[in-house]
Amino acid sequence: MSSTIEEQIKALEDEIFKTQKNKNTEYHIGKLKAKIAKLKEEQEKRRSSGGKAGLTYAVKKSGNATVALVGFPSVGKSTILNRLTDANSEVGAYDFTTLDVVPGVMEYKFAKIQILDLPGLIKDASKGKGRGREVLSVVRAADLILFIIDAYDTNIHVLIRELEAVGIRVNSHPADVVISKTEVGGVEVRSTVKMTKMDEEMARSVVSEYGYINADVVIREDVDVDQLIDVLTGNRVYAKGMVVVNKIDLVKDKEYMKGLRQKFKGYDVVFISAEKEIGIPELKETIYQNLDLISVYLKPQGKEADMEVPLVIRNGATVGDVCDTLHRSIRPNFRYSVIWGRSAKFPGQTVGLDHVLQDGDILSIIKKRGG
Ligand SMILES: Nc1nc2c(ncn2[C@@H]2O[C@H](COP(=O)(O)OP(=O)(O)OP(=O)(O)O)[C@@H](O)[C@H]2O)c(=O)[nH]1
Ligand SMILES: [Mg+2]
């Protein structure tokens, strides 16, 4: 075989495309998908060891969370950034006005949310078209993806496919499957749930095809082949996504908008006109809600808590995370903390660094003497 990796992938993809999909071909297709995943991994490895592929935009994360504006050229991403933040990104009536990542900060309900305006994405961006791979590498690091859609050009699937091609999964979660290598015994698959999309035998053959010789596979969720391959590949990122339909000032038909809401079922959808400033408050609120942030009030030892200005953190954050947000000198000097509110078993409970906070908690951090 002297064909390149690209050619091998293409041949396998063509084969899947040509194969009738039914019960009898399921196994075969599963195996082909595993082969493709393996080859793509190899391809990624080569790309990232080659010089040019290492190129990325330098963006420093800041604030409580990072939001990426993803969309085709000229849908109004830069106009939106300018509406949401104090940044000033160039707006133009032609495609690819934005050639760099332009960051801005949206301050909302005491949260500082970093918004990244990006160059427009096009089909085959994941293969490198229009600096696509660099744009997508920025998207990989975002907590929330805003799919910006022109009211009359609503093909979001092209965008999602490009994200998927670089391992980004939108509005889903890692499958509950654990694969551990073993010394002997071949590939063993056990499932704790009824499997309706793929049986154990198929899971076994996909895992083997991917290159495992001995492994224990425990499946605790009704997954399909693609989800299993995501677990095998291991470098997927899971991000939230929502849809923003821009330029609604051009839409006169209310029914048309209803249809769009239907089309994007499963996503939060916000209709706006960035230019005419319609729907911006709702957009800000929806972004905030999707980021799943909470507020914690700090109480200096022996003083009243500051109930005016909360500290904003991610839902699920611990006392230790708060320490790190405040200053890096705090954790090494941490003695204990005292907590009031929803996460406390009783008001004034003493807790440690691992304690998980809840919205509205009041927290007092006690440092070591002299710390
Ligand atoms: N009618 C209307 N036009 C808009 C709206 N928002 C943006 N535009 C126009 O759409 C064009 C593109 O806007 P940009 O903000 O530059 O779009 P972009 O997505 O950043 O484009 P690229 O950087 O090239 O990918 C400009 O002519 C804007 O004035 C809107 O809400 N309504
Ligand atoms: Mg732009």
Side-chain angles (χ1 to χ4, degrees):
M1 283 243 290
S2 61
S3 59
T4 64
I5 291 189
E6 283 74 19
E7 285 162 357
Q8 293 176 46
I9 292 174
K10 179 83 179 43
L12 291 165
E13 282 173 345
D14 286 348
E15 193 177 340
I16 291 182
F17 187 75
K18 276 184 289 186
T19 308
Q20 284 264 338
K21 279 151 201 81
N22 60 45
K23 272 263 163 272
N24 298 322
T25 57
E26 250 175 22
Y27 272 54
H28 183 57
I29 290 176
K31 280 191 178 179
L32 294 176
K33 283 182 170 177
K35 269 189 190 154
I36 292 174
K38 187 91 200 143
L39 286 169
K40 283 195 171 167
E41 205 180 340
E42 184 56 39
Q43 195 180 35
E44 278 311 304
K45 253 187 228 148
R46 289 192 191 176
R47 271 194 181 127
S48 47
S49 61
K52 190 168 166 260
L55 262 182
T56 51
Y57 292 110
V59 227
K60 199 168 173 290
K61 275 200 165 195
S62 79
N64 298 110
T66 300
V67 177
L69 303 182
V70 171
F72 297 117
S74 294
V75 294
K77 298 178 295 297
S78 299
T79 314
I80 292 172
L81 180 84
N82 296 344
R83 284 284 174 254
L84 295 177
T85 72
D86 53 5
N88 189 3
S89 188
E90 193 187 336
V91 169
Y94 46 90
D95 285 1
F96 294 110
T97 304
T98 309
L99 294 172
D100 241 314
V101 178
V102 184
V105 176
M106 175 177 109
E107 295 200 24
Y108 188 73
K109 291 187 173 170
F110 298 106
K112 284 190 169 58
I113 297 164
Q114 182 182 46
I115 314 246
L116 301 178
D117 180 22
L118 301 171
L121 276 188
I122 47 176
K123 189 168 176 295
D124 289 337
S126 55
K127 293 182 180 151
K129 281 227 173 109
R131 296 189 81 179
R133 291 188 62 81
E134 289 144 271
V135 175
L136 289 164
S137 79
V138 176
V139 179
R140 257 183 92 93
D143 301 294
L144 173 66
I145 296 165
L146 260 54
F147 292 106
I148 315 292
I149 302 286
D150 180 306
Y152 285 114
D153 182 5
T154 62
N155 191 349
I156 183 184
H157 298 289
V158 174
L159 296 172
I160 291 183
R161 234 168 287 148
E162 295 304 322
L163 300 195
E164 283 182 343
V166 297
I168 302 170
R169 299 290 175 267
V170 182
N171 287 353
S172 71
H173 60 92
D176 197 350
V177 174
V178 178
I179 302 168
S180 9
K181 273 193 181 157
T182 51
E183 294 296 318
V184 287
V187 174
E188 285 243 24
V189 176
R190 280 175 296 144
S191 64
T192 60
V193 292
K194 189 170 155 49
M195 294 182 62
T196 63
K197 300 165 192 157
M198 165 183 70
D199 62 20
E200 276 125 342
E201 183 45 36
M202 176 148 173
R204 208 192 58 74
S205 79
V206 167
V207 173
S208 304
E209 192 65 57
Y210 194 78
Y212 283 87
I213 297 165
N214 298 304
D216 254 342
V217 182
V218 181
I219 301 180
R220 295 201 200 84
E221 192 182 337
D222 187 14
V223 290
D224 62 23
V225 178
D226 298 309
Q227 287 172 296
L228 177 63
I229 289 175
D230 278 351
V231 175
L232 285 164
T233 311
N235 63 348
R236 308 303 193 215
V237 295
Y238 294 82
K240 274 200 171 179
M242 55 178 268
V243 174
V244 179
V245 181
N246 189 33
K247 308 196 185 184
I248 56 153
D249 52 298
L250 304 174
V251 181
K252 299 285 169 265
D253 182 3
K254 283 248 157 57
E255 287 302 310
Y256 179 74
M257 305 229 274
K258 258 194 212 158
L260 286 185
R261 209 177 270 286
Q262 192 61 29
K263 177 170 177 179
F264 300 128
K265 234 177 160 178
Y267 289 90
D268 278 349
V269 186
V270 184
F271 295 94
I272 68 163
S273 166
E275 201 166 83
K276 301 283 190 290
E277 292 195 54
I278 301 167
I280 304 300
E282 193 198 342
L283 175 57
K284 287 185 176 176
E285 178 62 24
T286 314
I287 291 171
Y288 181 83
Q289 293 297 338
N290 269 284
L291 287 172
D292 205 14
L293 300 169
I294 61 170
S295 296
V296 170
Y297 299 91
L298 294 177
K299 175 177 154 27
Q301 191 178 9
K303 295 197 187 134
E304 290 292 302
D306 179 359
M307 299 305 286
E308 298 283 314
V309 182
L311 181 85
V312 176
I313 46 169
R314 281 148 206 275
N315 196 1
T318 61
V319 170
D321 293 329
V322 169
C323 292
D324 297 339
T325 310
L326 293 170
H327 197 269
R328 65 188 147 79
S329 73
I330 297 186
R331 193 188 272 267
N333 291 302
F334 178 88
R335 239 175 99 207
Y336 64 94
S337 65
V338 185
I339 189 109
W340 293 263
R342 270 197 259 167
S343 80
K345 280 198 192 118
F346 51 86
Q349 185 193 355
T350 299
V351 295
L353 288 167
D354 293 338
H355 181 79
V356 176
L357 296 156
Q358 286 193 34
D359 192 35
D361 279 354
I362 298 172
L363 172 70
S364 213
I365 294 168
I366 318 297
K367 291 193 278 184
K368 286 178 194 152
R369 232 158 278 204

